[in-house]
Amino acid sequence: MRALRLMAVLAHPDDESLGVGGTLAKYASEGVHIFLLTATRGDGGRYRGYRADDPQHPGPAALARIREMELRAAASVLGVTELALLEYRDQHLDRADPHEIVPRIAGHLRRLRPDVVVTFGPDGAYGHPDHIAISQFTTAAIVAAAGDGPGIGTSQPGAPPHAVAKLYYIAWPTSTWGAYQAAFRKLVSAVDGIERQATPWPEWAITTVIDTRACWSTVWRAISCHESQVAAYERLRELSAGQHEALWGCQSFYRAFSTVNGGRARETDLFEGIRA
């Protein structure tokens, strides 16, 4: 039988570890083929806590190379089958041309033919514009990939249409955000002079909770690969094994659509309705 396929489409290096690392590691350990598509190389971020204008910062181009290496290392730890980068500018993803990026993502969907796709929700986790953008572009690309328009994407022109069976958005409830921000830091995004911060999903809206307790140590090893971001993760190094398990022990999602199942019963498997 054809192996099940899961694809994560995310914005930055480290989103795969901090956002869905437990889910990727769990399914990889079960033999699911895991594909990761990352939109930027993280060139707009800090380096070990230093801002871009600090002499200790290596500069955007060097940081992009560093963070790509870290991403590849983390993806290997998580068991990712294939990693691809779109190489858009960090902090500028919401300004990408949809006539370009949507067909590019759709091309990867047609080539890799995942059963399930996960990405950020429309809230961007804490209002981050890049996260919101990749959510919108990914959702649009799933529609485009299922259509009969020829030549979508450049990786495999003429690949036949592909209909993704299920799309999930990352959907953290109050309990997860509380544990994450207590151990990590409060995540905020200042956009157009307005501070945005995490807005937890209500429990009733969460359709799917994945048990990832067995994978917490793998997640932590993947997070540790992102050495350039070590200043932000420093508090995580002080956590006990029990605290790490509580933090990475389950991951919550909102089922944006499914062509194979439905209803109010909470899922415990992203492939519910697909598995034979």
Side-chain angles (χ1 to χ4, degrees):
M1 290 181 63
R2 172 183 176 274
L4 295 172
R5 297 183 170 212
L6 171 64
M7 185 173 184
V9 187
L10 303 168
H12 311 106
D14 78 11
D15 289 342
E16 81 296 330
S17 301
L18 293 168
V20 292
T23 299
L24 301 186
K26 168 188 166 62
Y27 284 110
S29 72
E30 296 175 359
V32 174
H33 289 183
I34 307 295
F35 304 105
L36 174 60
L37 184 59
T38 304
T40 78
R41 296 165 75 201
D43 55 283
R46 299 188 182 197
Y47 174 75
R48 296 181 178 272
Y50 296 108
R51 296 180 182 272
D53 57 359
D54 192 288
Q56 300 296 322
H57 194 287
L63 182 60
R65 291 191 293 271
I66 292 167
R67 297 198 68 186
E68 180 179 342
M69 289 190 294
E70 293 172 345
L71 172 62
R72 293 189 181 281
S76 178
V77 169
L78 293 173
V80 170
T81 307
E82 180 181 315
L83 164 66
L85 291 104
L86 296 176
E87 301 200 20
Y88 287 92
R89 283 185 64 193
D90 189 10
Q91 313 295 338
H92 290 76
L93 191 57
D94 62 337
R95 284 166 262 181
D97 182 354
H99 296 96
E100 178 190 82
I101 188 171
V102 170
R104 289 185 68 193
I105 297 172
H108 285 284
L109 291 168
R110 286 187 172 189
R111 179 176 65 87
L112 298 170
R113 311 187 82 72
D115 303 292
V116 175
V117 172
V118 298
T119 189
F120 284 101
D123 59 342
Y126 53 97
H128 194 305
D130 285 358
H131 296 173
I132 294 170
I134 201 62
S135 175
Q136 295 176 352
F137 292 144
T138 301
T139 304
I142 288 173
V143 176
D148 58 5
I152 287 179
T154 57
S155 57
Q156 193 176 9
H162 173 66
V164 171
K166 305 178 83 173
L167 168 64
Y168 286 94
Y169 294 144
I170 298 169
W172 286 4
T174 300
S175 57
T176 302
W177 273 117
Y180 187 84
Q181 295 192 137
F184 188 57
R185 59 184 170 89
K186 183 178 181 181
L187 294 177
V188 297
S189 181
V191 182
D192 301 327
I194 298 174
E195 184 179 277
R196 302 178 181 182
Q197 55 186 302
T199 301
W201 284 65
E203 285 286 346
W204 59 263
I206 293 170
T207 62
T208 313
V209 177
I210 307 301
D211 184 348
T212 57
R213 286 174 295 178
C215 301
W216 75 260
S217 60
T218 302
V219 176
W220 177 235
R221 284 193 292 117
I223 291 170
S224 298
C225 290
H226 294 279
E227 275 292 317
S228 67
Q229 308 302 299
V230 69
Y233 306 152
E234 197 61 40
R235 291 177 63 186
L236 292 178
R237 297 184 184 279
E238 302 170 2
L239 299 183
S240 67
Q243 289 172 313
H244 272 294
E245 182 175 318
L247 192 57
W248 315 116
C250 69
Q251 301 204 301
S252 304
F253 298 89
Y254 171 75
R255 188 181 63 227
F257 78 74
S258 171
T259 63
V260 294
N261 70 332
R264 297 196 304 274
R266 182 170 282 183
E267 297 175 319
T268 58
D269 180 12
L270 297 182
F271 293 92
E272 185 173 312
I274 297 175
R275 295 183 191 271

